[in-house]
Amino acid sequence: MTTNPIFQGVFPAITTPFNADGSVDHGFLREHARWMMDAGNAGMIPLGSLGEGNTLDYHEKTAILETLVDALGTAPVIPGIASLSTHGAVQLAQAARDIGCRGLMVLPPYVYTSDWREMKAHVATVLAATELPVILYNNPIAYRTDFLAPQVAELSAEHPNLRGVKESSGDSRRVTALRAALPDTVDILVGLDDMALEGVAAGATGWVAGLVNAYPAESVRLFELARAGEWAQAQELYRWFLPLLRLDTVNKFVQLIKFVQEEVGHGNARVRAPRLELTADEQAMVRDLLRAAQA
């Protein structure tokens, strides 16, 4: 396995498109992923929080991975791996490997939250289930499990295929702490859209992005400017983009981002229950943001 950094650049947390009958729209999924890759993204992350992974059954998940691996060829598909059980996470991780995915993004278990001993055992078991490079997803706000820098360093020392950390605590100091604690072979990725510039300034080399589903070229441009140290241009673009990027950080981020996709003409706003589509007032709020951005 290569020791070169591999999780660098912008990785869309791709939304899952649904047909009117609620089934997955594989035709649009294929087109959408290619459209975002053509804009310069580094790979695709399906089955995550934005992809409504916890509403998809196992066979829907594997079918999505088959579609994306076929659509993107050599571009890396890096699915979110989450389950109610460690066994379920291992099963999906091994299926992803067999389908041809080139990495994994491992989440803590759904619902059950405990101490470091149990959470480490879960993640370590999934890490050991394949040789694929893994991004550990830390989102204590959403999943109530908080992986601290010394704990991540412990996992990294024991599992060389831990090659990235998606940091979504919202605290840029966490990026600094991770960068100090981890070897250079482990990439740090920003997990919140409205922390992209702050994350790069603190040492992040990747971004798992949400609004990229509607604005892929702008997202890639923003990240490239920041990585190149072109801060004046990056900040100008960031100021324009921030009102939309903040839609990624609230409870209804899935509905909001899918609605933005629909408004810009690349996707539809359909979501799976228990999520419901936005109310008229919520839609009007997003349209106001889009009008201001377009102006």
Side-chain angles (χ1 to χ4, degrees), residues 151-168:
Q151 296 169 341
V152 179
E154 188 178 320
L155 275 170
S156 171
E158 297 172 10
H159 298 276
N161 63 324
L162 177 56
R163 303 296 305 282
V165 183
K166 177 186 175 185
E167 176 52 52
S168 297

Side-chain angles (χ1 to χ4, degrees), residues 47 61 80-85 88-89 92 105-110 122 143:
L47 312 185
K61 289 180 179 181
I81 303 296
S83 175
L84 291 168
S85 70
L92 182 58
M105 184 178 73
V106 176
L107 284 69
Y110 288 141
H122 171 82
Y143 297 110

Side-chain angles (χ1 to χ4, degrees), residues 30-196:
R30 177 184 298 270
E31 173 196 335
H32 186 43
R34 286 176 170 167
W35 178 65
M36 287 195 286
M37 289 304 299
D38 287 345
N41 285 287
M44 207 58 52
I45 299 183
L47 312 185
S49 308
L50 184 54
E52 298 171 80
N54 56 1
T55 73
L56 300 165
D57 66 33
Y58 176 81
H59 297 292
E60 287 177 320
K61 289 180 179 181
T62 55
I64 286 169
L65 299 185
E66 288 168 353
T67 292
L68 290 173
V69 168
D70 180 66
L72 299 185
T74 60
V77 177
I78 307 159
I81 303 296
S83 175
L84 291 168
S85 70
T86 302
H87 169 75
V90 166
Q91 183 183 33
L92 182 58
Q94 292 176 339
R97 172 202 60 199
D98 296 343
I99 288 166
C101 293
R102 294 176 57 192
L104 308 170
M105 184 178 73
V106 176
L107 284 69
Y110 288 141
V111 181
Y112 184 65
T113 304
S114 183
D115 55 23
W116 168 234
R117 181 178 72 95
E118 290 190 326
M119 294 299 95
K120 179 187 177 183
H122 171 82
V123 173
T125 301
V126 183
L127 279 162
T130 78
E131 291 297 315
L132 291 177
V134 168
I135 301 169
L136 176 65
Y137 183 11
N138 186 45
N139 189 335
I141 298 169
Y143 297 110
R144 297 181 299 156
T145 297
D146 194 358
F147 296 110
L148 304 177
Q151 296 169 341
V152 179
E154 188 178 320
L155 275 170
S156 171
E158 297 172 10
H159 298 276
N161 63 324
L162 177 56
R163 303 296 305 282
V165 183
K166 177 186 175 185
E167 176 52 52
S168 297
S169 66
D171 183 351
S172 59
R173 294 173 297 178
R174 293 295 193 93
V175 177
T176 309
L178 287 167
R179 189 65 284 156
L182 295 171
D184 290 340
T185 53
V186 181
D187 289 308
I188 301 169
L189 301 93
V190 179
L192 297 174
D193 277 6
D194 66 348
M195 209 181 88

